[in-house]
Amino acid sequence: MDVYSKTIGGTTYQITVKEDWTWVAGIQEDALAFSDFNRIETNSQTLRNMLTAIQYAIPSLTFVTNRDQTYIELLSGINRVETNLESIRTNFVTPPGYPGTESWTVGKGFDFTDANRLEQDIRLLFQYAGFVYDGFIYCGTVNCGYQRGALPLV
């Protein structure tokens, strides 16, 4: 798993993604567990919070982060995860290489490629939010190699 973080206005936003879900000889080596779905949704929530902190109008979204061993993920839950990411992307930007979302129906299987796609969606959006923040130039700042406060006032 890889950890990505960005500090904005004194708050550090951090996500943990796993983009190496695999199958070997037709058998899924590592299956998504309840904790993985919790992590994916927590990452989505962190991404939304980060974007609202830099003034993007991301609508309120519903996240489920309290799954346990007794929780069974239904199609409606997977569709909610997909819809949340699509809402974030629609109100922000589509990064190059963004794999996009799926719509889940009965009979459509969820496998390691879908897990990798969800993780990649979150990582790309998070990284681009960081790029956008880094690219902000505020009125009255000097952006020619000096850090704010480094210039002497005469």
Side-chain angles (χ1 to χ4, degrees), residues 20 23 38 47 60 73 75 79 82 88 94 102 119 143-145 152:
D20 60 353
W23 284 69
N38 286 341
L47 175 61
S60 294
E73 191 60 71
L75 289 176
N79 278 324
E82 297 273 7
I88 291 169
T94 303
E102 295 282 336
E119 303 269 14
N143 193 15
C144 57

Short mmCIF file of all heavy atoms in Angstrom, two decimals, residues 20 23 38 47 60 73 75 79 82 88 94 102 119 143-145 152:
data_model
loop_
_atom_site.label_atom_id
_atom_site.label_comp_id
_atom_site.label_asym_id
_atom_site.label_seq_id
_atom_site.Cartn_x
_atom_site.Cartn_y
_atom_site.Cartn_z
N ASP A 20 -2.35 -2.82 -6.41
CA ASP A 20 -1.75 -4.05 -6.93
C ASP A 20 -2.58 -5.29 -6.57
O ASP A 20 -2.04 -6.35 -6.27
CB ASP A 20 -0.31 -4.18 -6.44
CG ASP A 20 -0.20 -4.23 -4.92
OD1 ASP A 20 -1.22 -4.03 -4.22
OD2 ASP A 20 0.92 -4.46 -4.42
N TRP A 23 -4.71 -11.48 -9.52
CA TRP A 23 -5.18 -12.86 -9.68
C TRP A 23 -3.99 -13.67 -10.14
O TRP A 23 -3.18 -13.20 -10.95
CB TRP A 23 -6.25 -12.94 -10.75
CG TRP A 23 -7.59 -12.46 -10.34
CD1 TRP A 23 -7.94 -11.18 -10.06
CD2 TRP A 23 -8.75 -13.24 -10.15
NE1 TRP A 23 -9.26 -11.11 -9.72
CE2 TRP A 23 -9.79 -12.36 -9.78
CE3 TRP A 23 -9.03 -14.59 -10.27
CZ2 TRP A 23 -11.08 -12.79 -9.52
CZ3 TRP A 23 -10.33 -15.02 -10.02
CH2 TRP A 23 -11.33 -14.13 -9.64
N ASN A 38 -13.87 0.08 3.77
CA ASN A 38 -13.83 1.20 4.71
C ASN A 38 -12.71 2.18 4.33
O ASN A 38 -12.90 3.40 4.35
CB ASN A 38 -13.62 0.71 6.14
CG ASN A 38 -14.85 0.07 6.74
OD1 ASN A 38 -15.97 0.28 6.26
ND2 ASN A 38 -14.66 -0.70 7.77
N LEU A 47 -10.62 12.96 0.36
CA LEU A 47 -10.51 13.68 -0.90
C LEU A 47 -11.55 14.79 -0.99
O LEU A 47 -11.25 15.93 -1.34
CB LEU A 47 -10.65 12.71 -2.07
CG LEU A 47 -10.68 13.31 -3.47
CD1 LEU A 47 -9.40 14.06 -3.77
CD2 LEU A 47 -10.92 12.20 -4.49
N SER A 60 -22.49 17.48 -0.62
CA SER A 60 -22.46 16.53 0.48
C SER A 60 -22.64 15.13 -0.07
O SER A 60 -23.46 14.90 -0.95
CB SER A 60 -23.58 16.83 1.48
OG SER A 60 -23.34 18.06 2.11
N GLU A 73 -21.44 -6.29 1.59
CA GLU A 73 -21.52 -5.18 0.65
C GLU A 73 -22.50 -5.55 -0.47
O GLU A 73 -22.40 -6.62 -1.06
CB GLU A 73 -20.14 -4.86 0.07
CG GLU A 73 -20.08 -3.58 -0.70
CD GLU A 73 -20.45 -2.37 0.14
OE1 GLU A 73 -19.66 -2.01 1.01
OE2 GLU A 73 -21.53 -1.81 -0.08
N LEU A 75 -24.79 -4.31 -4.08
CA LEU A 75 -24.59 -3.50 -5.28
C LEU A 75 -24.85 -2.03 -5.02
O LEU A 75 -24.15 -1.16 -5.54
CB LEU A 75 -25.50 -3.99 -6.41
CG LEU A 75 -25.15 -5.34 -7.03
CD1 LEU A 75 -26.19 -5.74 -8.06
CD2 LEU A 75 -23.77 -5.29 -7.66
N ASN A 79 -22.27 0.91 -5.90
CA ASN A 79 -22.72 2.01 -6.76
C ASN A 79 -22.58 3.36 -6.05
O ASN A 79 -22.26 4.37 -6.68
CB ASN A 79 -24.15 1.80 -7.23
CG ASN A 79 -24.22 0.88 -8.43
OD1 ASN A 79 -23.35 0.90 -9.29
ND2 ASN A 79 -25.25 0.05 -8.49
N GLU A 82 -18.98 4.42 -6.31
CA GLU A 82 -18.74 4.89 -7.68
C GLU A 82 -19.36 6.27 -7.90
O GLU A 82 -18.75 7.15 -8.49
CB GLU A 82 -19.32 3.90 -8.69
CG GLU A 82 -18.69 2.52 -8.66
CD GLU A 82 -17.46 2.36 -9.53
OE1 GLU A 82 -16.97 3.36 -10.09
OE2 GLU A 82 -16.97 1.22 -9.64
N ILE A 88 -17.34 13.78 -7.23
CA ILE A 88 -16.12 14.53 -6.95
C ILE A 88 -15.45 14.92 -8.26
O ILE A 88 -15.07 16.08 -8.46
CB ILE A 88 -15.18 13.71 -6.04
CG1 ILE A 88 -15.77 13.57 -4.64
CG2 ILE A 88 -13.78 14.33 -5.99
CD1 ILE A 88 -15.07 12.56 -3.74
N THR A 94 -11.10 16.09 -14.47
CA THR A 94 -10.79 14.72 -14.86
C THR A 94 -9.30 14.63 -15.14
O THR A 94 -8.82 15.17 -16.15
CB THR A 94 -11.58 14.30 -16.12
OG1 THR A 94 -12.98 14.47 -15.87
CG2 THR A 94 -11.30 12.85 -16.48
N GLU A 102 -17.94 2.82 -12.98
CA GLU A 102 -18.82 1.77 -13.52
C GLU A 102 -20.17 1.87 -12.85
O GLU A 102 -20.30 2.46 -11.78
CB GLU A 102 -18.23 0.38 -13.22
CG GLU A 102 -16.92 0.09 -13.89
CD GLU A 102 -17.06 -0.28 -15.36
OE1 GLU A 102 -18.15 -0.75 -15.75
OE2 GLU A 102 -16.08 -0.09 -16.10
N GLU A 119 -9.10 2.39 -6.66
CA GLU A 119 -7.93 2.92 -5.96
C GLU A 119 -7.21 3.96 -6.84
O GLU A 119 -6.79 5.01 -6.36
CB GLU A 119 -6.96 1.79 -5.59
CG GLU A 119 -7.58 0.70 -4.74
CD GLU A 119 -7.47 0.92 -3.24
OE1 GLU A 119 -7.14 2.03 -2.80
OE2 GLU A 119 -7.69 -0.06 -2.51
N ASN A 143 5.97 35.35 -6.25
CA ASN A 143 6.20 33.99 -6.69
C ASN A 143 7.36 33.95 -7.67
O ASN A 143 7.19 33.68 -8.84
CB ASN A 143 4.92 33.41 -7.32
CG ASN A 143 5.02 31.92 -7.51
OD1 ASN A 143 5.88 31.28 -6.95
ND2 ASN A 143 4.13 31.37 -8.32
N CYS A 144 8.56 34.29 -7.18
CA CYS A 144 9.73 34.28 -8.05
C CYS A 144 10.91 33.67 -7.31
O CYS A 144 12.02 34.18 -7.35
CB CYS A 144 10.05 35.69 -8.55
SG CYS A 144 10.31 36.86 -7.23
N GLY A 145 10.67 32.61 -6.60
CA GLY A 145 11.72 31.92 -5.89
C GLY A 145 11.80 32.25 -4.41
O GLY A 145 12.53 31.62 -3.67
N PRO A 152 12.53 41.30 2.83
CA PRO A 152 12.53 42.32 3.89
C PRO A 152 11.64 43.49 3.53
O PRO A 152 11.54 43.88 2.37
CB PRO A 152 13.99 42.75 3.94
CG PRO A 152 14.54 42.45 2.59
CD PRO A 152 13.77 41.24 2.10
#
